[in-house]
């Protein structure tokens, strides 16, 4: 009985040490990239923005993503992440032009078509909402049929 208790305590202690180590690494990683942002690193801005999004700190991620999209307007991923942030924050009017751009660049992306349709739906533009929702459903069915 005492061995089982001791093993349980050791397991808890080890789990705590591992969790602290992982948290420390993530914290160090974030701080490292935050310092690089001060030097203007676009890559670091994107890494930090993604970390903020994972932590649901959209108000901190959005300004970084706006900076990136202004400095590097040819990058797809920052626009997609920014549009998603606006969608989650229910800022549909701001998300619509971004999702529109994304759909123009990659018309076969079912998720972005769906998100654009949803934004139109939430802004009471049912005609456009139905158009993009139908396209998303069609694309999604085609994707499910593919065999890899």
């Amino acid at each position: 009985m005492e061995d089982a208790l001791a093993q349980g305590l050791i397991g808890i202690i080890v789990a705590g040490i591992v969790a602290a180590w992982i948290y420390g690494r993530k914290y160090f990683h974030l701080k490292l990239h935050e310092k690089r942002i001060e030097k203007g690193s676009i890559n670091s801005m994107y890494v930090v923005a993604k970390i903020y999004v994972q932590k649901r700190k959209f108000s901190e991620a959005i300004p970084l993503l706006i900076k990136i999209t202004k400095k590097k307007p040819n990058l797809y991923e920052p626009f997609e992440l920014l549009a998603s942030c606006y969608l989650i924050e229910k800022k549909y009017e701001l998300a619509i032009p971004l999702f529109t751009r994304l759909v123009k660049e990659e018309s076969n992306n079912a998720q972005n078509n769906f998100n654009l349709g949803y934004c139109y739906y939430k802004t009471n533009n049912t005609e456009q909402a139905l158009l993009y929702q139908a396209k998303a459903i069609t694309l999604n069915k085609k994707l499910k049929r593919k065999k890899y």
Side-chain angles (χ1 to χ4, degrees), residues 56-111:
R56 303 194 62 79
K57 294 182 176 181
F58 303 111
S59 61
E60 294 178 46
I62 289 171
L64 289 174
L65 293 166
I66 290 171
K67 266 187 194 174
I68 295 168
T69 57
K70 285 182 180 177
K71 287 185 177 186
K72 296 282 186 174
N74 57 328
L75 296 177
Y76 184 86
E77 290 82 7
F79 277 98
E80 190 172 42
L81 193 55
L82 180 58
S84 298
C85 286
Y86 285 145
L87 176 67
I88 293 166
E89 289 286 295
K90 299 179 181 176
K91 297 178 180 177
Y92 306 114
E93 294 82 9
L94 295 172
I96 287 172
L98 297 174
F99 280 122
T100 300
R101 175 192 166 138
L102 293 167
V103 166
K104 282 181 183 175
E105 286 183 32
E106 202 174 285
S107 62
N108 291 331
N109 186 313
Q111 187 65 52

Side-chain angles (χ1 to χ4, degrees), residues 8-59:
L9 288 175
I10 290 171
I12 291 171
I13 291 169
V14 169
I17 291 169
V18 169
W21 179 76
I22 290 170
Y23 178 78
R25 277 192 60 187
K26 286 183 178 182
Y27 179 80
F28 176 75
H29 186 71
L30 177 62
K31 292 301 173 189
L32 175 71
H33 282 288
E34 284 176 340
K35 285 181 183 176
R36 290 181 181 164
I37 288 173
E38 294 170 8
K39 296 177 183 176
S41 169
I42 298 293
N43 182 51
S44 289
M45 282 184 209
Y46 187 64
V47 169
V48 171
K50 284 185 2 180
I51 291 170
Y52 286 151
V53 169
Q54 290 170 351
K55 293 182 174 188
R56 303 194 62 79
K57 294 182 176 181
F58 303 111
S59 61

